[in-house]
Amino acid sequence: MTPAAQTDELLGTPWPFGRADLTAGLRRHLGDATIQVTEVRPLTMIHRRPSVGRIQGLRVEFQSQRGPQSIRLVVKEPLGTTRMGLAGVGRREVGVYQSLAGQLPVSTPALIAAGPLGDWLLLEAITPGRDASRWEAVDYDTAIDSLVRLHDRFWDLGEDLATFPWLSRPLEADFEVHVTAAAQAIERIVQFGEPAVLAASPDRLRVLALLTESADRIVRPLRAQAATLLHGDYWPGNIAVLRNRSQVVYDWQLAAVGPGIIDLLVFISKSQWWFGDLPVPAKELIGRYRERVATDIGVTWEQEAWDLLWDHALMWRFLQEWVDLLAATPDAVLQTRGDQLDRVWLDPVAVAVARRLGAE
């Protein structure tokens, strides 16, 4: 029997990694060169939300000088890129775990092994103490404090982060890719008349057109801010609250360089999208972030300047992510979330456009 056949017999066909990858990763992670993998079994993942790519739980049984043992892991298989022309999301996440995890002021899962191109990652399984939908006010406050620590660690180090070319740079090198994707999405919306929530509204189509036409104006104030390391998708669904209330941050596949306000906007808007009213009002979360930035980093904004940045971050994030997403979402799905879509995105974006782009 060939080594490849032995691997197939041991691991089965679903796994993208080989026995050698798994064994070497466990030996390195556990500091035990005697480890020999004996069995790999799939596990049902309970705490999961929709994500890009394939995520599976597994239990690995192994023998070592300490006797029989087991460990729970997660294998991720990211799909493609966030946009055509950008670094693969898997490559980006592997880069964070391999090159930046030691510098991060937040806890992350341990990387056990990964494919050379980031097409798969093996990570330690983290079991949250409770689901993200059941977060309490203290959990939101802790997450905001952790976000400030992350931003503080890399504040105004945009040039230094150039060392890591796999990081996304949505306001700089990747800007045209995002704008082109949004423009193409708008063309599809007009051509096919879907989703109706946009295509059937001349006012909303005008807002979409103005967003793409004014993309340079939208990002101008954001580019003027100090750049830092962004998680890119920082929200409760990507943060595990453990039983001792500590938090572990995962899913770094959208890691980027840009102004910290974008991470804060994503945290609040995505939490509202999934959970509706939060135990801490958005205004208080924003206030906590600003207070901690002022204390820890020494940076403050006048209210008028902050309001302008928030409007521009809102318009940019909608243009960067949601236009393309809405164009690909069936009407039936959007109809079930119509009120949420209006409240979290469409109405606030329309107000921001009228306030900031109404006149040249």
Side-chain angles (χ1 to χ4, degrees):
M1 183 178 293
T2 66
Q6 291 174 354
T7 299
D8 291 342
E9 180 179 329
L10 174 68
L11 301 183
T13 55
W15 311 116
F17 52 86
R19 182 177 183 178
D21 299 312
L22 177 58
T23 302
L26 288 176
R27 288 176 176 178
R28 181 172 53 252
H29 175 59
L30 299 175
D32 186 345
T34 68
I35 287 176
Q36 295 291 338
V37 174
T38 57
E39 186 180 6
V40 179
R41 300 198 309 269
L43 285 178
T44 301
M45 296 184 63
I46 300 174
H47 300 280
R48 276 197 60 191
R49 297 196 180 276
S51 60
V52 176
R54 187 183 187 195
I55 302 177
Q56 300 177 84
L58 60 147
R59 180 183 295 278
V60 180
E61 307 286 344
F62 59 91
Q63 288 278 354
S64 75
Q65 61 186 2
R66 301 168 188 168
Q69 299 177 68
S70 68
I71 188 172
R72 292 168 56 252
L73 302 176
V74 171
V75 60
K76 297 181 63 175
E77 296 176 80
L79 292 180
T81 64
T82 47
R83 291 282 186 272
M84 186 63 68
L86 303 186
V89 293
R91 174 68 187 94
R92 195 173 300 145
E93 186 163 22
V94 169
V96 169
Y97 286 123
Q98 291 181 337
S99 303
L100 286 174
Q103 304 180 50
L104 299 177
V106 296
S107 297
T108 65
L111 178 68
I112 307 302
L117 301 179
D119 49 335
W120 59 268
L121 299 83
L122 264 176
L123 301 161
E124 67 170 326
I126 304 295
T127 302
R130 59 178 168 275
D131 187 75
S133 62
R134 298 174 55 225
W135 269 28
E136 300 171 359
V138 65
D139 301 317
Y140 281 89
D141 289 343
T142 299
I144 291 295
D145 294 347
S146 296
L147 185 62
V148 173
R149 288 197 299 273
L150 173 65
H151 291 169
D152 181 19
R153 173 63 183 80
F154 298 93
W155 195 268
D156 210 14
L157 295 182
E159 292 185 5
D160 298 79
L161 290 170
T163 306
F164 310 109
W166 36 263
L167 285 172
S168 174
R169 288 164 176 78
L171 301 181
E172 303 295 343
D174 304 334
F175 173 73
E176 292 297 339
V177 175
H178 292 295
V179 175
T180 299
Q184 293 173 344
I186 294 173
E187 290 179 3
R188 295 198 303 272
I189 291 171
V190 173
Q191 178 181 358
F192 298 107
E194 293 182 347
V197 68
L198 297 177
S201 171
D203 288 341
R204 284 178 171 169
L205 288 178
R206 280 193 291 270
V207 166
L208 294 181
L210 193 53
L211 285 172
T212 54
E213 294 167 4
S214 308
D216 285 307
R217 286 179 63 194
I218 291 172
V219 299
R220 197 175 300 147
L222 300 172
R223 285 173 173 168
Q225 297 297 298
T228 186
L229 178 68
L230 305 179
H231 178 279
D233 197 17
Y234 189 85
W235 74 292
N238 288 334
I239 305 169
V241 175
L242 307 184
R243 296 189 183 279
N244 64 0
R245 290 196 179 276
S246 65
Q247 298 184 357
V248 178
V249 183
Y250 47 90
D251 278 357
W252 293 83
Q253 56 193 26
L254 299 183
V257 179
I261 193 172
I262 293 180
D263 260 350
L264 179 62
L265 173 76
V266 169
F267 181 82
I268 292 174
S269 61
K270 199 158 186 178
S271 298
Q272 291 174 330
W273 172 254
W274 279 102
F275 308 136
D277 292 333
L278 307 179
V280 183
K283 185 176 181 179
E284 293 184 19
L285 293 173
I286 293 171
R288 187 180 186 92
Y289 178 87
R290 293 176 63 183
E291 289 171 5
R292 289 297 305 269
V293 168
T295 301
D296 297 358
I297 308 177
V299 175
T300 60
W301 296 268
E302 296 295 332
Q303 189 61 46
E304 183 178 352
W306 178 267
D307 291 342
L308 182 141
L309 285 174
W310 189 265
D311 280 349
H312 281 257
L314 179 69
M315 291 187 291
W316 169 247
R317 187 64 181 183
F318 185 76
L319 180 66
Q320 176 194 10
E321 179 184 35
W322 277 81
V323 173
D324 195 22
L325 178 63
L326 291 174
T329 304
D331 269 327
V333 175
L334 292 180
Q335 287 172 3
T336 64
R337 305 294 298 276
D339 292 342
Q340 202 87 332
L341 182 61
D342 288 347
R343 185 171 69 88
V344 176
W345 283 109
L346 296 183
D347 292 345
V349 167
V351 170
V353 167
R355 187 157 47 211
R356 307 301 178 184
L357 304 180
E360 292 288 349

